[in-house]
Amino acid sequence: MTQNAVEGALTSVEAYVDEIRSVIRPLPPSDLGLADAEGCVLAEDVAAAVSLPSFDNSSMDGYAVMSSDLTPASERSMVTLPVTAEIAAGDTGAYRLAPGTAMKIMTGARLPAEADAVVPVEWTDGGDTRVSFSRPVAAGNAVRYVGGDAVAGSILLTTGTRMRPMQIAVAASSGRRTVSVRPKPRVVVLSTGDELSEPGTPLVPGRIWDSNSYMIAALAREAGAVAHRRAVVPDEVAGVLPAILEHLTHADVVITTGGVSMGGSHDVVKAALAKLGTVTFRKVGMQPGMPQGFGVVGPGDVPIFTLPGNPVSAYVSFQLFVRPALGFLQGLDDLRLPSVSASLTSAVRSPSGRRSFLRGVLSGDKVAPLTGQESHQIAALGRANALIIVPEWETQLSAGDTVDTIVLPLASVPGVTAS
Ligand code: AMP
Ligand code: MG
């Protein structure tokens, strides 16, 4: 069957995503310690338990003073004050500065009462018992005031935020030992095909190395999941269902690749799952990635995606359908990849009635289609940082035409900031 000979109604990409969205429920949240919450999505707002900072403190090593004492200070007429204490960070003593005196103070140490400024040690002679100042200091100099970062009770992190290192720091700084997060979806990846050999093993003519399962597991992790690939499933209908069912107790999503084409007797995934009646196979109006299957399996109604076997088809299918689904599981409404407008550097072709996702290299506001646009051409995928979208109604576009372009995750695109 040629790629253009499409029979029967095609489901649109949007309708298919909507259908997936209607099935997938967010995973229930649980309280996790900060270390374990890393990478998970918050299911609560995190407020500052106290003001940050919670006490006035020094931002430098120096001397706490009353700024009015230093008003007359100059190079020619130094002001010298007795040093009455040394306050280190963590010192909880209640210090009170008397007029006409100074206290040595370290970065992060609590400002003594009545002091209104800190003079950096570099501006002084650094004395221990007496200190001389050669210039005045403004009130508030080098002081970090209570609430200068955040006021007690203010919301620092909102529901739906992923706990990346910065957010972990914010939660810890606001006194949280645990946070309520949705767990990372557990994804099991199975690839099917008698032709598949494990990478690293010798290749016999007629066989290929399995790239899909590694790629899909990596994509799932990139989308916030915990993913494991399982051994390759042979092309036997009888073996496919047990291989899937075996993993349902520890999976929130199962992803298979291969075995869902348009009617070969080797389409074992389709044949095995069609019997259950809970997984729907359809043609989506896109290229690559037309044959798609989605539904639920097992007593726990675990969502399953059966992606086409060609690696580029599997890649594009994952980014368009599985990635948003992993977002829904994490309580994220939209994990879709951002897209930008760009101008084509060369002409492209696309089948009528199907939306093409061509591999390209995006640089600034230009996108260059890669050579090697067939769905088995993994080498070109390895060079891509973007997917060029050619709408259903276009069969060819010319150099200079404007296209929507999906920016691939973590793509380094000169001159483009993905939103
Ligand atoms: P299928 O969807 O099973 O008909 O496979 C379509 C094409 O994708 C065939 O050329 C397969 O050899 C190839 N393919 C299937 N699974 C994988 C895999 N795990 N890794 C690499 N290529 C695959
Ligand atoms: Mg196959």
Side-chain angles (χ1 to χ4, degrees):
M1 172 168 185
T2 70
Q3 286 178 320
N4 284 327
V6 178
E7 290 152 28
L10 296 179
T11 304
S12 73
V13 170
E14 284 77 17
Y16 190 41
V17 173
D18 285 348
E19 201 176 313
I20 292 164
R21 187 193 295 263
S22 71
V23 170
I24 294 199
R25 300 275 160 267
L27 296 170
S30 60
D31 287 341
L32 291 187
L34 285 188
D36 296 324
E38 184 186 336
C40 297
V41 174
L42 273 178
E44 62 164 342
D45 293 345
V46 173
V50 295
S51 288
L52 299 178
S54 57
F55 51 89
D56 295 343
N57 67 89
S58 176
S59 70
M60 303 191 86
D61 291 344
Y63 296 85
V65 296
M66 293 181 190
S67 57
S68 54
D69 284 339
L70 302 196
T71 310
S74 69
E75 289 284 353
R76 269 196 250 139
S77 165
M78 310 258 271
V79 170
T80 301
L81 303 178
V83 177
T84 58
E86 178 168 332
I87 315 170
D91 189 334
T92 55
Y95 296 89
R96 177 170 295 272
L97 191 73
T101 70
M103 289 181 180
K104 216 171 199 181
I105 190 164
M106 305 302 143
T107 305
R110 188 174 172 201
L111 198 70
E114 308 302 337
D116 69 350
V118 171
V119 182
V121 67
E122 297 86 341
W123 297 4
T124 73
D125 64 357
D128 288 327
T129 53
R130 299 176 67 73
V131 56
S132 296
F133 301 94
S134 56
R135 57 167 132 164
V137 67
N141 188 68
V143 177
R144 306 190 288 208
Y145 289 106
V146 170
D149 189 6
V151 175
S154 60
I155 303 296
L156 301 180
L157 301 172
T158 51
T159 303
T161 303
R162 197 179 294 285
M163 294 295 287
R164 298 193 190 280
M166 307 84 93
Q167 289 74 34
I168 302 257
V170 170
S173 301
S174 53
R176 297 295 294 267
R177 195 166 62 88
T178 64
V179 282
S180 174
V181 290
R182 297 196 193 274
K184 294 182 184 179
R186 298 161 304 166
V187 172
V188 169
V189 182
L190 302 166
S191 48
T192 68
D194 284 343
E195 73 277 34
L196 301 179
S197 297
E198 184 64 23
T201 63
L203 206 57
V204 180
R207 298 283 187 104
I208 58 169
W209 285 303
D210 167 24
S211 57
N212 285 349
S213 62
Y214 286 99
M215 173 182 72
I216 298 291
L219 280 166
R221 286 184 210 111
E222 193 171 65
V226 181
H228 297 287
R229 61 178 290 274
R230 299 298 172 198
V232 168
V233 181
D235 281 329
E236 289 159 22
V237 177
V240 169
L241 206 48
I244 291 170
L245 297 177
E246 187 191 327
H247 297 295
L248 294 183
T249 52
H250 49 263
D252 299 309
V253 176
V254 173
I255 305 170
T256 66
T257 68
V260 293
S261 301
M262 291 299 157
S265 55
H266 299 281
D267 296 333
V268 293
V269 172
K270 196 170 177 179
L273 290 171
K275 288 188 200 137
L276 290 180
T278 53
V279 180
T280 307
F281 294 89
R282 79 200 64 223
K283 290 180 260 184
V284 176
M286 62 191 278
Q287 182 176 286
M290 185 171 61
Q292 299 287 338
F294 171 71
V296 295
V297 278
D301 285 346
V302 176
I304 183 168
F305 289 86
T306 69
L307 306 183
N310 270 311
V312 180
S313 312
Y315 180 87
V316 171
S317 305
F318 181 98
Q319 298 295 33
L320 294 182
F321 308 125
V322 187
R323 187 181 160 94
L326 293 177
F328 305 150
L329 282 167
Q330 295 171 84
L332 296 175
D333 212 26
D334 201 347
L335 204 58
R336 266 177 307 180
L337 294 171
S339 59
V340 297
S341 270
S343 118
L344 280 172
T345 61
S346 58
V348 294
R349 293 180 163 280
S350 171
S352 162
R354 291 162 69 189
R355 191 179 305 177
S356 284
F357 296 90
L358 304 172
R359 278 65 67 210
V361 177
L362 181 64
S363 177
D365 58 1
K366 299 216 169 359
V367 65
L370 283 159
T371 304
Q373 291 290 346
E374 287 184 51
S375 45
H376 67 286
Q377 290 184 301
I378 194 86
L381 181 64
R383 289 192 281 274
N385 65 3
L387 296 175
I388 300 163
I389 302 176
V390 185
E392 288 80 341
W393 56 90
E394 302 282 10
T395 53
Q396 57 186 65
L397 294 174
S398 312
D401 284 349
T402 299
V403 281
D404 284 335
T405 302
I406 295 175
V407 183
L408 298 177
L410 309 183
S412 162
V413 180
V416 170
T417 316
S419 53

